[in-house]
Amino acid sequence: MRVLKFGGTSVANAQRFVNVSEIAINTAIQVQTALVLSAPAGVTNILVSMVKSALAGSDCKSEFAALDQIIRPLISSLGQQYPQFDAAKVMAYYEETVEALQRRVQGISLLGSCPDEVAAFIECRGEALSIATMAELLKARAHQVQVIDPVEILVCDGRPLESSVDIEASTERFNRVQLNPDAIVLMSGFCGGNRQGQLVLLGRNGSDYSAACLAAISKAQCCEIWTDVDGVYSCDPRAVPDAVLLRRMSYKEAMELSYFGAKVLHPRTIAPIAQYRIPCLIKSTLNPQGEGTLISEETDRSLITKGISDLKNVSMINVSGPGMKGMVGMAGRLFTCISRANVSIVLITQSSSEYSISFCVHSEDAYLARHAIEEEFALELAAHILDPLEIQDRKAIISVVGEGMRTAKGVSSKFFRALAQANINVNAIAQGSSERSISAVIDQAKVSEAIFSCHTAFFSGRQLIDLILVGVGGVGKALLKQIERQKAELQQRNGIELRVICVANSRTFVKDPLGLQVDKIPELLTNSVNGQFTIEEAKRLVDDSHLVNPVFVDCTSSEDWALSYIELMQAGYHVVTPNKKANTSSYEYYKGLRQIARNCHRKFYYEATVGAGLPVINTLQNLLAAGDRLIEFNGIMSGTLSYIFGLVDEGKTLSEATRDAYERGYSEPNPRDDLEGMDVARKLLILARECGYKLNLEDIEREYPVDAKYLEGETAQEVLENLKHADEEFGRRVAEAKAQGKVLRYVATIKDGGKCTCGIKAVGPEDPLFKVVGGENALSFTSAYYQPIPLVIRGYGAGTEVTAAGVISDILRLQNWTREA
């Protein structure tokens, strides 16, 4: 025999009933087949609601109307499709069922109470209707049918609403049934009978359990569980779109996954099939030809871990105090009193000091557990031998499961690293001696992030990086274009998916937790009615959208945003920026940024602050990490001044060269900002601090190319006109340098000991900076490793495109951190 169980969604409407009958008929051609059916989708919920409403004194008219809307169209539609389908007979059975329900509802309403036996009868009427309908459908399709009553077959012990099946006694009952070898056997799920022959329910997922028990007592060759998904996945595919379909897994793996919250199977379903070594196949009625998942003694050895599961609505109870240590029998008393209260313990962990025991229960049982413990240990609590109970609600258990974990190294470290990368705090840890699973207790609000991060670590080659971009001026706009241009190639070649979750300008913002369409962002910003983007909104975005690897990209020159980086990292963001304000703020803030980044396991990348797209910061950090020491630094660090001084070499005056740079868009909106050298001073301070010097911006000696009076003016045109008065004086300096075979450059310098200056310097042909013109940057590092010939980094260090390239390079470095950190 082959047992097939179909869930509520499989019999949700007439067409799905037909699909189920088709599967059953095709299976019956090869082997005798038994069908176990659930109630049509939604019916059980209506029946449960009917009991609650009747207890409140209602006549349940709305529930009966809802039931009619599901069952009557189902029967009528099947009658129209199959002329041989006895719709009148099924409809009459339905109406008898409704009358029986009405009588019981009236009784409940009058008495104001509902015995469990009555509730059991009401709540399993949906399964009985499914069996009556399927029996007539199979007959209409010219197939013999034999209906067996689970009350007569499945011998149960327990409460009327939550019973368990005695497999041995049920086997004796089943063996006495005369089966028609040519018939398809039908049996209601969800119910059985106690030893007095009274109807009882099998509790949550009872229909799956019914099928597993029928397979065990009939010694079936296979038990098939048909659902609306293709099988067992590595995690919930609704939460993680690239969840992996598991082709094969062992009974023990299935038990672990189901125990810790996997939705496809319940632990009670697996117990009978595992005990009697009956293969179980999970398949989808929406994809009958799919391979599904086979649960048997063998597992798929190619996968070390089989899945990530989560169990929500858990409370963690901590029992601690000096009376715990060395006191024989304390743990036994604790768990005995919990058992007496009929509370199931989900997870246990104990500190090696024996000072405390922590365990988890379902939140609905937390009060019962507390009451039982306080009653059992009343004397110890009163004498302060035990501390007051600590109960933490709104917790969840995340588990990694797999047979291969017993022999593979590094599974635990990968698991906890994934949780840390998602900025998730672990409250407790548990691992069984079988080493088949490892579990962590976390805040329930972080479950989505935990599942996604762990699944990425164990199963996925895809790396998601979620971007929140503030500032869509020149650099921000260029960055969006580069992301749009490179997105497909990054995903195909490197498995990196860049998602732009939110974009903000100075006025408003737009967001989409699944990712904005980049080419639509300008239009969306124009039409946005959102207010100004704030630090509070940025924090909410991480929590509400459950972002795992969020990156805050600051392409503004705002000091307010720069001084918010600490809060952003504490909220879970990595920070990437070309904004120099954070790194050139007070030295205390500079050090605080790095300390918070370490404490919060976040990254702060700012390569584009110094050389735009040139690899300056990373190169210097690597040298220092390798034990090198800076002796002297000289550099041209302003692309605008490099361009201006190059034109001066060719014979233009300073004012003419500056106007040329302004008109080409190379300078700041007011060219005074370039000529004052403040931008160079900020870059120099960043490099000096990287080398370990405790300096502030006022410690940088800064020389203006010309007297400050020549840079006065409210507008760019006023400054350019005023600058003409400096041409004669500046021309003399150019001529003096030329007479010595040298040229003038605006050079930033760090001397051994930390003295930092930036100003005009005459350099000769032997100097690496001599030929740096046309907007290029050049940075010369003389160090313990690089002397007498210095290490020189040279290239274009200004412009929106190269700066955006530096930003995107920093963003992509976070992918390596995700995999290896």
Side-chain angles (χ1 to χ4, degrees), residues 245-284:
L245 178 64
L246 305 173
R247 306 297 180 189
R248 197 179 187 101
M249 63 195 311
S250 70
Y251 297 120
K252 292 176 182 178
E253 288 172 326
M255 182 69 80
E256 294 275 3
L257 276 175
S258 62
Y259 181 78
F260 286 113
K263 306 301 185 293
V264 176
L265 284 176
H266 191 272
R268 290 208 307 165
T269 303
I270 300 167
I273 61 174
Q275 182 181 353
Y276 292 91
R277 301 293 186 266
I278 297 168
C280 181
L281 185 61
I282 315 296
K283 298 194 71 172
S284 171

Side-chain angles (χ1 to χ4, degrees), residues 50-60 64 101-115 118 122:
M50 196 176 284
V51 174
K52 293 178 180 177
S53 297
L55 283 169
S58 170
D59 59 6
C60 298
F64 282 113
L101 290 171
Q102 287 173 335
R103 288 194 300 272
R104 284 164 175 79
V105 163
Q106 186 178 12
I108 295 169
S109 183
L110 288 172
L111 292 172
S113 65
C114 179
V118 176
I122 292 173

Side-chain angles (χ1 to χ4, degrees), residues 490-510:
L490 283 170
Q491 194 162 355
Q492 183 178 357
R493 180 179 296 181
N494 305 99
I496 303 171
E497 183 177 347
L498 296 180
R499 295 195 307 187
V500 181
I501 301 298
C502 178
V503 175
N505 58 24
S506 58
R507 179 185 64 85
T508 187
F509 67 95
V510 291

Side-chain angles (χ1 to χ4, degrees), residues 7-32:
T9 55
S10 301
V11 288
N13 54 45
Q15 186 54 52
R16 292 200 172 186
F17 257 93
V18 173
N19 293 344
V20 169
S21 69
E22 191 70 33
I23 293 169
I25 289 167
N26 290 335
T27 306
I29 294 171
Q30 306 166 42
V31 63
Q32 183 163 27

Side-chain angles (χ1 to χ4, degrees), residues 614-616 619-620 623 628 630 632-636 765-772 776-783 785-796:
L614 296 177
V616 179
T619 300
L620 179 58
L623 285 174
D628 204 353
L630 183 71
E632 183 176 350
F633 166 78
N634 291 285
I636 293 175
E766 75 287 350
D767 195 299
L769 308 182
F770 181 80
K771 294 183 179 180
V772 179
E776 279 190 297
N777 279 11
L779 300 94
S780 171
F781 296 90
T782 302
S783 69
Y785 295 168
Y786 288 89
Q787 61 171 329
I789 300 174
L791 171 67
V792 177
I793 300 172
R794 179 176 172 182
Y796 284 106

Side-chain angles (χ1 to χ4, degrees), residues 63-85:
E63 283 84 358
F64 282 113
L67 195 60
D68 267 2
Q69 289 175 5
I70 295 174
I71 302 301
R72 290 186 184 277
L74 170 63
I75 297 170
S76 298
S77 181
L78 288 173
Q80 292 169 8
Q81 289 185 58
Y82 294 91
Q84 301 303 315
F85 179 80

Side-chain angles (χ1 to χ4, degrees), residues 233 253 498 529 695:
Y233 281 83
E253 288 172 326
L498 296 180
V529 294
L695 302 175

